[in-house]
Amino acid sequence: LYEEINVPVLLFHGDADAEVPVETSDQLAQLLPDKVEYVRVPEAGHVLAWNADRDGYVEAVRDYLARLTRNSVAVNSTEQ
């Protein structure tokens, strides 16, 4: 199903996740390096990346959104 991903993805996964093996995210990030920005969060459990490192999480999201915005503006300017 990874072939169907056609939008940028910011993926956080805690390496202490007991619900979903972190290796699934490792593999997805390796398969789609141009689509997936992957943040592997040390010692974070399932859906607890923000709790493990709030500042790091917020910084990663801000940086990601800033890059998306810049890329979107660049693409739109070249199309005109």
Side-chain angles (χ1 to χ4, degrees):
L1 293 176
Y2 72 90
E3 301 93 349
E4 296 178 18
I5 297 174
N6 59 7
V7 296
V9 174
L10 175 58
L11 175 61
F12 290 89
H13 201 137
D15 66 7
D17 189 332
E19 303 296 321
V20 178
V22 72
E23 292 78 17
T24 58
S25 293
D26 294 343
Q27 184 178 24
L28 182 63
Q30 289 175 357
L31 291 169
L32 298 173
D34 58 326
K35 296 285 184 205
V36 176
E37 182 165 332
Y38 179 39
V39 180
R40 196 177 212 253
V41 184
E43 301 179 24
H46 189 66
V47 300
L48 296 174
W50 181 80
N51 303 73
D53 180 9
R54 292 177 185 176
D55 292 338
Y57 187 95
V58 169
E59 181 179 346
V61 171
R62 284 184 180 155
D63 291 349
Y64 178 75
L65 293 175
R67 280 192 302 282
L68 281 182
T69 303
R70 281 193 304 271
N71 290 342
S72 176
V73 169
V75 168
N76 288 335
S77 339
T78 60
E79 291 178 354
Q80 296 177 1

